Amino acid sequence: MRHTHPTAPVPRASRPTRPGVPEPTLTSDTHVPCRKPGSTDTPAIPAQNQGPSVRGLAGFNAASPVEAEALLLSCCHSLRWAERVAAHRPYPTVDALLAAADEAGYDLSRADLDEALAAESSALPHPDAPPAARTALRAAHAAYESSFGHAFVISLDGVRPGERLDQVLAGIRSRLGNEPEEERVVAADELRRLARARLAFRLAETLTPRHSGP
């Protein structure tokens, strides 16, 4: 059952009518728990831990619990969330899987959310971005992390490339004015949207199967 948050400052994203490959516009990197301020890592979509080689929904349904949970943890680093979503396999459709991931995301406990946020890292603009823009965003990220103790997370799925930098800067500046508990609600909602988009992307991309031995 989905729990209602005490405050809901950010409207929930509407669910797509059919799953596709999300445009790689996610701006939070996962599984880099200790990104130092000033880091220049700029992945458009989390890439350093793609999880096991699972091909589509059939592969996800047939994967071992360890493999399924590893793929899910590459989307949202909450062990309880990953275990819950993996435990309800098999899913009849990708939409059903994404809906289950959403429901589990709404039910993250405080400890679950802390665990997931600790594994996030705020991505910076591409190295080819103007120096002034890179400096401004780096400073904004540092101010946010100093205020809230975790990386700034936001999903830019559907935002045009030319508007992403402004969207991130505006988001940080706006959310810096939130009270800590209010910001936790916003961050949790953005994290849920990121997890959904990452999972859809992982299932849709073609991964090279791993082979045992050399």
Side-chain angles (χ1 to χ4, degrees):
M1 180 179 294
R2 184 168 66 203
H3 296 301
T4 302
H5 293 299
T7 56
V10 175
R12 292 170 184 165
S14 58
R15 227 170 243 159
T17 56
R18 59 191 293 257
V21 180
E23 192 175 333
T25 60
L26 311 183
T27 63
S28 291
D29 194 12
T30 54
H31 304 155
V32 186
C34 298
R35 185 186 67 80
K36 293 181 172 58
S39 167
T40 57
D41 292 340
T42 59
I45 193 167
Q48 70 280 11
N49 185 353
Q50 294 287 349
S53 297
V54 174
R55 289 177 177 271
L57 180 65
F60 178 77
N61 283 335
S64 70
V66 170
E67 287 183 317
E69 289 170 16
L71 183 139
L72 290 163
L73 285 169
S74 75
C75 301
C76 176
H77 199 70
S78 162
L79 182 59
R80 182 172 165 273
W81 177 85
E83 289 176 341
R84 175 175 169 179
V85 176
H88 286 84
R89 295 176 299 155
Y91 291 95
T93 64
V94 172
D95 276 338
L97 170 56
L98 296 181
D102 267 351
E103 292 299 317
Y106 284 120
D107 290 338
L108 289 179
S109 69
R110 189 178 191 88
D112 297 333
L113 180 58
D114 287 342
E115 179 187 19
L117 288 174
E120 296 288 329
S121 180
S122 303
L124 297 177
H126 192 276
D128 291 340
R134 296 172 61 190
T135 299
L137 190 55
R138 191 176 291 116
H141 279 310
Y144 180 93
E145 291 171 17
S146 176
S147 293
F148 299 111
H150 59 78
F152 176 76
V153 292
I154 187 172
S155 172
L156 297 182
D157 194 29
V159 177
R160 290 181 294 184
E163 299 174 355
R164 292 171 196 161
L165 177 59
D166 288 342
Q167 189 85 358
V168 173
L169 280 171
I172 294 175
R173 289 164 180 164
S174 172
R175 288 163 58 180
L176 275 172
N178 290 342
E179 294 296 324
E181 289 306 309
E182 181 184 13
E183 178 55 25
R184 285 181 66 84
V185 174
V186 179
D189 193 64
E190 291 294 332
L191 186 66
R192 178 188 60 77
R193 295 174 62 201
L194 280 168
R196 179 191 173 87
R198 288 166 177 165
L199 180 54
F201 184 85
R202 297 281 191 269
L203 292 174
E205 66 185 345
T206 301
L207 300 177
T208 302
R210 294 184 300 182
H211 299 278
S212 59

